[in-house]
Amino acid sequence: TYAYHIKLDESQLSFGLSLVGYQYKLNEDKIILDVDGDNLWLGAHKSVFIPDADAGVYFTTRDLWAGFSVDQMFESVLKFGDAGYDKFVMERQYYLMGGYDFRVSRDVILSPSVFLKYSESGSYQAEFSGKYYYQQSYWAGLTYRTGQALVIMAGVSVDRFIFGYAYDI
């Protein structure tokens, strides 16, 4: 993984790139064949390595942040042999996110945000969130995720650490 940051006056533009490798392995001891000598099994590779890559860009100011990223850029196919099922494609995923911090007072910040996810198959998901920060040390929030999910969140910052809890309903 590599990231490159460009400082601009009171903002920052960042780029990231990850090279990823997935290894899948068949456990031969767990395979039960209906037909001994099955050609699909005999021609199968017992271990498969799949390379892939992810990339993204992120822009931030004191109060605004936005980003775009892509996962599984190569859309690799998981196939264990030369014959047989080869329809398992690791679909490319697109993510778009952004938010803004409204400084209501010296101690209170309201931070609405949105997160959008889209895959090559046409499926999508959206999340709409709102967080309430008090003295930049305590926060609570709600998220609505399409598909009828609600998330309740809370957290506290202690020194450089952030402790949080989220519960999906």
Side-chain angles (χ1 to χ4, degrees):
T1 299
Y2 179 76
Y4 183 75
H5 308 286
I6 302 171
K7 298 271 186 194
L8 309 164
D9 291 333
E10 295 183 18
S11 62
Q12 181 172 296
L13 182 61
S14 301
F15 300 91
L17 177 65
S18 290
L19 298 177
V20 182
Y22 300 96
Q23 182 176 7
Y24 294 92
K25 186 174 181 178
L26 296 175
N27 186 342
E28 295 183 60
D29 297 335
K30 303 286 182 181
I31 301 293
I32 300 172
L33 298 175
D34 287 335
V35 177
D36 288 335
D38 187 320
N39 288 335
L40 180 59
W41 176 248
L42 294 175
H45 307 287
K46 306 311 185 257
S47 180
V48 177
F49 179 79
I50 300 172
D52 215 326
D54 308 325
V57 61
Y58 186 73
F59 177 77
T60 185
T61 67
R62 178 178 176 215
D63 297 323
L64 170 77
W65 49 272
F68 175 77
S69 62
V70 181
D71 282 348
Q72 300 168 346
M73 292 173 60
F74 299 164
E75 287 192 307
S76 300
V77 175
L78 176 59
K79 186 174 178 182
F80 280 97
D82 300 328
Y85 189 73
D86 62 355
K87 302 296 183 207
F88 183 80
V89 176
M90 298 176 70
E91 283 184 340
R92 190 174 299 132
Q93 307 281 328
Y94 301 94
Y95 304 95
L96 180 65
M97 63 178 183
Y100 190 84
D101 292 339
F102 292 95
R103 297 179 188 282
V104 178
S105 70
R106 196 179 112 184
D107 290 336
V108 175
I109 298 173
L110 297 178
S111 183
S113 63
V114 65
F115 174 79
L116 305 172
K117 176 182 174 182
Y118 177 78
S119 67
E120 288 285 325
S121 67
S123 66
Y124 65 91
Q125 187 176 56
E127 291 184 11
F128 304 96
S129 297
K131 283 186 180 176
Y132 170 89
Y133 290 90
Y134 181 70
Q135 295 181 344
Q136 295 184 354
S137 294
Y138 308 96
W139 56 270
L142 288 174
T143 296
Y144 171 74
R145 183 180 305 128
T146 55
Q148 301 177 359
L150 185 66
V151 182
I152 300 169
M153 307 174 278
V156 62
S157 296
V158 179
D159 295 325
R160 297 182 338 221
F161 300 100
I162 299 172
F163 299 94
Y165 180 78
Y167 184 76
D168 287 37
I169 302 169

